[in-house]
Amino acid sequence: MKKMESEAVDSAWRILQGVRPALPRRENLAAELATADAAQARGYYLPDEDERLREVYRQYLGARSTLWQMVRNLQPHLKGEDLRVFGLAFCAASMLMRSASFVIDLAKERPVVWAKLDEAEPRFGLPRKTFTKIYRSLSSPNWMWQYRQAEKYYETHRASIHHALAESGYEELIPWLEEEEPYFDTRKRSLWAAVINYRLYSFNRRTSSGYTKVMFHLFRLSGSAIAEMKQPFVKPPGSGKRVTDGVREEVQGLLKPGDVFVTRHDDALSNLFLPGFWPHAALYIGRPDERRDLGVPDKGDDFITVLEAKKDGVKLRRLRETLAVDAFVVLRPQVSRDELKEALTRALSHEGKLYDFIFDFRKSERLACSEVVYRSFHGIGPWQLELTKRSGHHALSAEDLMQQGLEKGLFEVVLIFGVNNSPLKTGAEAARILRKTLRD
């Protein structure tokens, strides 16, 4: 139990490290503020301005949903009043409050910007009025009051929280918390401005200074925030993933080292912020005996067969974790044995890096999911891939990777499962089903 708790806390810490650079900061929005003023004066956004704003907003929404989910994942570890858990959850909530205020400042006095952010965006699965919902939730007196209780708990137990974080190796989090402290007074003033003519007597009769009550507020807030961004009616409530143990066992016998998984969760929050039907990629590195046969570094065990970048970073994972999805396709890179050895050796050199929430493939210190595949194979044999520039960053989505690989003959389609509830298909039939998803 202690090991599971330690892994959950460490995972949350890695997620926070990865997300922080992707959250909007006032200095990073200077160009968007200038564009917003020009668009407001003009009465509309130009196409290139529209694309930049949507990319900034998409990145913010992705970081927002990731942090709220991180807070929710800490919920089972409330017992024991672990101050590390509070420090992580509170820092995430504070960062979200601050970054949301920057986005709100961009739009609240500029109706043209507000209307633009409220537009539906089919490419990312975003319905109308997402910005209005976020603004209302974060400016509600109820929400702000509950957050204020967490601020009070932090202020009262500040020294103990910092000590617990330093003792556990999370000392880098301390200056991040201190960076949030100047905003506390601003939020207090915002609270009292928001509660004019609002009935607060029920809150005034409660005391929320205790750890469990404060954490309950944070988790309740994260739950409601996640609920706003879920994709309703995609799957029945409580439905499991379509990929079963039986499917995974069948697939296992068909895989070879170097195979690329491209996967999909029907109702994943991440689908809202990534283009295309297929949002995620992972690399099958094979069993230890297969890697030894290739002369590739031997890491992990018989169950650790996938290298995958997720929110908690680039890690070696079990196939069961990677294929806990609703649909997937397996693509086989067309390379020689020596080229495959080079690619897998490259891939394993990236293990342990943080996740790249900004999706800037020009830098290798943090990697997104498709970037693991890109950096493993690009430049080997016939492999040449073109990055797409979005909002000033060069990247390659999982679907872009798939499209380019198929068009250039770099991939062979091995199998596919789960598209429109289809069973496992291989070869030409799998390729036909895959092409239809890419056309749609």
Side-chain angles (χ1 to χ4, degrees):
M1 188 66 178
K2 283 289 184 183
K3 182 181 178 182
M4 289 178 61
E5 181 175 320
S6 178
E7 288 176 352
V9 173
D10 188 57
S11 175
W13 167 232
R14 289 177 62 81
I15 290 171
L16 196 61
Q17 286 178 291
V19 171
R20 186 171 181 263
L23 288 168
R25 305 175 69 88
R26 195 173 300 280
E27 56 269 28
N28 296 340
L29 291 177
E32 293 308 320
L33 284 166
T35 301
D37 286 334
Q40 183 62 40
R42 187 190 307 122
Y44 59 91
Y45 267 81
L46 298 175
D48 59 324
E49 296 171 341
D50 190 329
E51 287 298 310
R52 289 197 305 271
L53 179 66
R54 288 184 182 280
E55 184 62 21
V56 168
Y57 190 48
R58 179 205 63 77
Q59 185 173 300
Y60 161 69
L61 291 177
R64 177 178 183 269
S65 67
T66 296
L67 282 186
W68 280 130
Q69 189 61 59
M70 182 208 90
V71 175
R72 291 292 294 174
N73 290 343
L74 288 172
Q75 188 169 11
H77 307 286
L78 265 178
K79 294 179 181 178
E81 300 196 3
D82 191 333
L83 292 179
R84 300 173 306 163
V85 173
F86 178 85
L88 286 161
F90 179 66
C91 189
S94 296
M95 287 178 178
L96 282 164
M97 287 284 283
R98 180 160 53 90
S99 62
S101 71
F102 298 155
V103 175
I104 287 170
D105 286 347
L106 190 67
K108 68 179 182 181
E109 301 298 334
R110 301 177 179 90
V112 169
V113 182
W114 189 307
K116 178 59 63 179
L117 294 179
D118 259 352
E119 287 180 5
E121 179 45 88
R123 288 178 297 175
F124 304 136
L126 289 173
R128 294 179 63 249
K129 301 288 187 182
T130 56
F131 179 76
T132 294
K133 290 178 181 177
I134 290 171
Y135 178 78
R136 286 176 178 169
S137 68
L138 292 178
S139 60
S140 75
N142 189 344
W143 203 104
M144 295 176 69
W145 183 268
Q146 292 178 30
Y147 176 79
R148 177 59 190 142
Q149 305 313 302
E151 275 186 350
K152 287 169 63 178
Y153 185 87
Y154 171 77
E155 290 168 338
T156 302
H157 302 281
R158 182 179 184 276
S160 298
I161 293 167
H162 288 190
H163 178 74
L165 292 170
E167 286 285 297
S168 303
Y170 303 134
E171 59 274 1
E172 188 180 346
L173 182 60
I174 296 171
W176 297 358
L177 285 165
E178 291 174 339
E179 187 179 334
E180 300 303 322
E181 292 173 8
Y183 294 91
F184 289 176
D185 286 338
T186 301
R187 289 174 192 146
K188 289 177 195 175
R189 291 194 296 272
S190 298
L191 169 65
W192 294 116
V195 299
I196 295 174
N197 298 324
Y198 187 86
R199 297 171 65 187
L200 274 177
Y201 63 89
S202 60
F203 292 112
N204 290 329
R205 291 204 302 264
R206 300 176 194 165
T207 57
S208 297
S209 58
Y211 173 90
T212 302
K213 289 183 179 180
V214 169
M215 292 303 287
F216 171 78
H217 285 327
L218 282 178
F219 292 135
R220 191 170 83 170
L221 293 174
S222 67
S224 63
I226 289 171
E228 293 167 9
M229 301 307 297
K230 280 183 179 176
Q231 299 188 71
F233 315 122
V234 174
K235 294 176 69 175
S239 295
K241 298 299 178 184
R242 285 200 299 276
V243 178
T244 63
D245 287 339
V247 172
R248 282 186 283 268
E249 288 174 10
E250 187 175 358
V251 168
Q252 179 73 66
L254 302 173
L255 298 174
K256 292 183 179 180
D259 285 351
V260 174
F261 294 107
V262 187
T263 63
R264 173 181 176 82
H265 296 271
D266 286 344
D267 56 351
L269 287 171
S270 59
N271 291 352
L272 291 171
F273 317 118
L274 296 172
F277 183 85
W278 301 97
H280 185 71
L283 180 63
Y284 182 73
I285 59 171
R287 301 185 309 274
D289 62 303
E290 293 176 312
R291 298 198 293 276
R292 285 193 295 269
D293 183 57
L294 283 168
V296 173
D298 185 11
K299 293 188 177 185
D301 54 37
D302 286 343
F303 301 102
I304 305 294
T305 58
V306 180
L307 183 70
E308 184 176 11
K310 297 171 71 173
K311 295 179 178 72
D312 59 348
V314 183
K315 289 187 174 185
L316 291 167
R317 306 178 193 271
R318 300 187 174 212
L319 184 64
R320 181 185 183 93
E321 178 183 349
T322 298
L323 292 186
V325 296
D326 291 301
F328 67 93
V329 62
V330 174
L331 305 170
R332 185 156 295 156
Q334 301 300 285
V335 292
S336 69
R337 179 184 174 87
D338 286 343
E339 290 167 346
L340 178 60
K341 173 185 176 180
E342 182 181 354
L344 292 182
T345 301
R346 264 195 207 175
L348 288 166
S349 71
H350 296 294
E351 182 205 356
K353 292 184 177 180
L354 295 174
Y355 189 79
D356 179 15
F357 288 90
I358 298 176
F359 298 97
D360 187 351
F361 283 31
R362 296 172 300 178
K363 300 177 181 179
S364 63
E365 58 194 10
R366 301 164 185 249
L367 302 186
C369 63
S370 53
E371 192 172 2
V372 172
V373 181
Y374 168 70
R375 290 196 172 274
S376 299
F377 286 96
H378 182 80
I380 291 179
W383 273 75
Q384 296 292 326
L385 298 168
E386 286 79 43
L387 301 180
T388 301
K389 189 173 183 180
R390 293 180 179 175
S391 191
H393 300 306
H394 291 77
L396 191 72
S397 71
E399 190 146 307
D400 288 339
L401 169 70
M402 185 186 298
Q403 290 266 29
Q404 287 191 37
L406 293 173
E407 288 171 2
K408 297 179 179 185
L410 304 176
F411 280 132
E412 173 195 356
V413 181
V414 178
L415 58 89
I416 197 168
F417 174 86
V419 176
N420 296 324
N421 293 308
S422 70
L424 190 68
K425 298 290 184 180
T426 60
E429 180 64 9
R432 184 190 67 79
I433 294 172
L434 177 59
R435 282 195 297 272
K436 190 174 188 305
T437 68
L438 297 177
R439 282 200 305 270
D440 292 344

